[in-house]
Amino acid sequence: MRRVTMTAGRPLLALALLFAVAQPAAAQSILRDSETEKLFNDMSRPLIEAAKLDPKNVKVVLINDPEINAFVATGQTVYLHTGLITASDNANQVQGVIAHELGHVAGGHSIRIQDGAKQASGISILSLVLGGLAMAAGAGEAAMGAMALGQQAAMGQFLAFTRAQETSADLAGASYLGRAGISGQGSIDFFKKLQGQEYRLAVYSTDSYNRTHPLSSERIASLTQVYQNDPAWKRRSDPALEARFQRVRAKLIGYISAKESVLRVYPATDTSIPARYARAYAYHRMGDRDSALREADALLATAPQDPFFLELKGQILLESGKPSDALTPLRDAVARAPDQPMIQAMLGHALLATEKPANFPEAEQVLKASIGRDAEQPFAWYQLGMIYDRKGDTARAALATAERYSLEGEPKLALSSAELALRGIPQGTPDYIRAQDIAMVSRTAVDKDKKRRRDK
């Protein structure tokens, strides 16, 4: 499991001077993990197909945020918060959330939200005009009243627009679950969790007039009959999928929580696979290599060929200063899961970290293979850049660095690296064209940032 800071559009709604608007994209801390992403793909694929979307174009991404939340931005990416995964009891609950978010994707809601904002702004601007006329006539209090009422009407219309989108996504998600043969029980159970949160936060509204979302009680009431009438209502989740979810949830808790919290949830007396997984990550994060390795070895004793258990042991050894010892489990992991680019990238990192030139050709090979399957790995690009630099290929080292900075949302650094690459790579080659692309996109981003600063 690895943290990657990337730019992800997040539609946060805020009351501006006149009306609610969607705020710009913000940098998000994304957690990437081979086993987690494989699980998300398998959990979401039947739902994506039920929504008549192309699984190749839809991604489910994990955001490091403790809030119980999920959202979509422009494009076809569903963002799940870590708080949502840790709060979920089972895979079916998360599938209910994913189905709902796919309803937003299929409905184009992230684009249409601007329509709602425009309608609301029209009402608010009209109130300003009326207020101005009242002021000109000397009716100051009437003017302020007209503007206040306009603000209230604008917000009311916008909130009604977003609630309508949420209701539409609820019903669409229910239909996707039904078409995929997946029970809606998890969806109802999750709304009940949210209802409990509303009670704890003292949200006792009898209706949702002043909210962006319908109340959970309203959603439960409207969806229960829909789900219960579906043939999949009483269908049990796939036990193998559920076991995988419990593993991923446990390793996530081990990765993001304090060791004391992990041990409360998964005490040392618990010898289940999820418990050992959680403790292994918690011990590793706290620098207790021996305890972490003990848990990893216990996991491997149950499944010696599991690529993710092998990856875990390799990661513990690599990140505790023993890269040479990490090579065997990581090579085995790659052999068992040749389609997992992040495990390949970790092997490349370990090979390079040995500081043995004899390992560098293999490192270059596996890193290129990794990036060929998944180019959105800043650290893999960094490692590949180091290899090019040691070979004396400064131009391609600069190109790899440009790729890295582009992914990390650093357009100024990406531009300078891409321009350096262009000076050393033969014109017309694929690498030259790629450097041109990065330079063009980065230059545009830099110019926009300069203009924004001037306009402040």
Side-chain angles (χ1 to χ4, degrees):
M1 194 161 283
R2 303 153 190 84
R3 298 174 191 264
V4 183
T5 300
M6 302 177 72
T7 299
R10 180 179 181 179
L12 297 175
L13 299 178
L15 180 62
L17 179 62
L18 298 179
F19 51 87
V21 295
Q23 291 189 358
Q28 299 290 335
S29 178
I30 293 174
L31 293 184
R32 298 209 59 191
D33 173 68
S34 299
E35 184 176 15
T36 301
E37 292 182 6
K38 184 172 175 56
L39 173 68
F40 285 171
N41 289 341
D42 293 343
M43 288 172 59
S44 63
R45 187 179 186 90
L47 297 168
I48 295 168
E49 291 173 345
K52 295 182 169 47
L53 298 169
D54 187 346
K56 295 178 183 177
N57 298 329
V58 181
K59 292 196 299 184
V60 181
V61 173
L62 186 62
I63 296 286
N64 188 23
D65 191 311
E67 290 186 4
I68 303 174
N69 198 14
F71 63 93
V72 296
T74 53
Q76 298 187 25
T77 302
V78 174
Y79 296 93
L80 303 180
H81 285 205
T82 53
L84 184 144
I85 302 300
T86 59
S88 297
D89 298 320
N90 52 56
N92 189 223
Q93 290 180 5
V94 178
Q95 285 179 308
V97 174
I98 293 173
H100 170 88
E101 297 302 331
L102 290 173
H104 284 306
V105 173
H109 292 173
S110 61
I111 299 172
R112 294 179 58 207
I113 196 75
Q114 300 300 327
D115 296 337
K118 288 177 183 177
Q119 293 172 20
S121 67
I123 293 175
S124 191
I125 291 169
L126 177 60
S127 73
L128 288 180
V129 173
L130 294 175
L133 292 174
M135 282 185 172
E141 289 186 7
M144 296 301 294
M147 286 187 280
L149 286 173
Q151 297 278 339
Q152 186 176 3
M155 179 56 72
Q157 176 157 341
F158 186 79
L159 292 176
F161 184 87
T162 61
R163 288 195 303 274
Q165 286 194 333
E166 292 301 320
T167 299
S168 171
D170 281 346
L171 295 174
S175 71
Y176 304 154
L177 286 164
R179 288 180 209 163
I182 298 171
S183 173
Q185 183 66 56
S187 178
I188 296 298
D189 289 345
F190 198 80
F191 280 132
K192 288 179 179 177
K193 279 182 176 286
L194 295 180
Q195 188 177 35
Q197 289 279 330
E198 289 168 1
Y199 289 148
R200 282 192 289 275
L201 295 172
V203 180
Y204 301 124
S205 305
T206 56
D207 61 62
S208 54
Y209 175 75
N210 63 343
R211 292 163 54 90
T212 58
H213 290 55
L215 287 168
S216 297
S217 58
E218 297 171 346
R219 303 170 91 168
I220 292 168
S222 64
L223 287 173
T224 297
Q225 193 66 37
V226 174
Y227 283 131
Q228 288 180 345
N229 289 338
D230 190 272
W233 172 252
K234 294 185 178 180
R235 187 169 297 168
R236 292 183 60 230
S237 296
D238 176 9
L241 189 73
E242 181 60 30
R244 291 170 60 194
F245 173 77
Q246 295 302 332
R247 279 176 49 156
V248 163
R249 178 176 178 273
K251 74 191 291 188
L252 176 61
I253 290 172
Y255 185 77
I256 65 175
S257 303
K259 186 177 79 171
E260 294 74 17
S261 299
V262 176
L263 293 178
R264 277 196 300 270
V265 179
Y266 300 104
T269 53
D270 186 347
T271 58
S272 67
I273 286 177
R276 290 195 181 280
Y277 227 167
R279 291 196 299 269
Y281 271 97
Y283 289 139
H284 176 50
R285 285 178 54 247
M286 297 300 110
D288 187 350
R289 183 181 67 198
D290 292 341
S291 295
L293 285 173
R294 185 171 61 249
E295 298 290 359
D297 286 335
L299 289 170
L300 283 166
T302 67
Q305 298 181 352
D306 188 303
F308 304 116
F309 294 165
L310 290 164
E311 177 193 27
L312 170 62
K313 183 170 184 177
Q315 183 176 358
I316 293 168
L317 291 166
L318 169 62
E319 293 176 356
S320 60
K322 291 186 171 293
S324 295
D325 293 343
L327 295 182
T328 296
L330 288 176
R331 282 178 175 138
D332 287 349
V334 169
R336 304 293 176 190
D339 60 336
Q340 296 301 314
M342 283 184 283
I343 301 180
Q344 291 175 315
M346 187 178 292
L347 173 57
H349 177 197
L351 288 162
L352 192 59
T354 63
E355 296 291 339
K356 296 178 180 178
N359 287 331
F360 294 171
E362 183 185 358
E364 181 177 354
Q365 179 184 1
V366 296
L367 285 168
K368 284 182 175 179
S370 172
I371 290 168
R373 288 189 174 91
D374 180 358
E376 295 185 2
Q377 298 184 81
F379 191 69
W381 282 112
Y382 170 68
Q383 295 291 309
L384 188 58
M386 290 179 64
I387 291 175
Y388 284 135
D389 185 63
R390 295 185 185 199
K391 291 172 61 177
D393 191 344
T394 56
R396 283 177 177 77
L399 176 56
T401 303
E403 295 276 12
R404 169 197 170 193
Y405 283 132
S406 179
L407 288 170
E408 291 178 341
E410 298 283 355
K412 190 173 181 180
L413 295 172
L415 176 59
S416 61
S417 296
E419 289 176 338
L420 177 60
L422 287 170
R423 290 197 288 270
I425 296 175
Q427 293 188 19
T429 61
D431 284 347
Y432 186 88
I433 294 170
R434 179 57 187 159
Q436 278 187 319
D437 290 343
I438 296 174
M440 180 179 64
V441 172
S442 300
R443 189 176 293 109
T444 300
V446 168
D447 291 343
K448 282 184 179 179
D449 184 60
K450 288 180 180 177
K451 183 177 185 302
R452 181 181 60 81
R453 292 175 185 276
R454 284 198 306 268
D455 293 343
K456 275 189 175 181

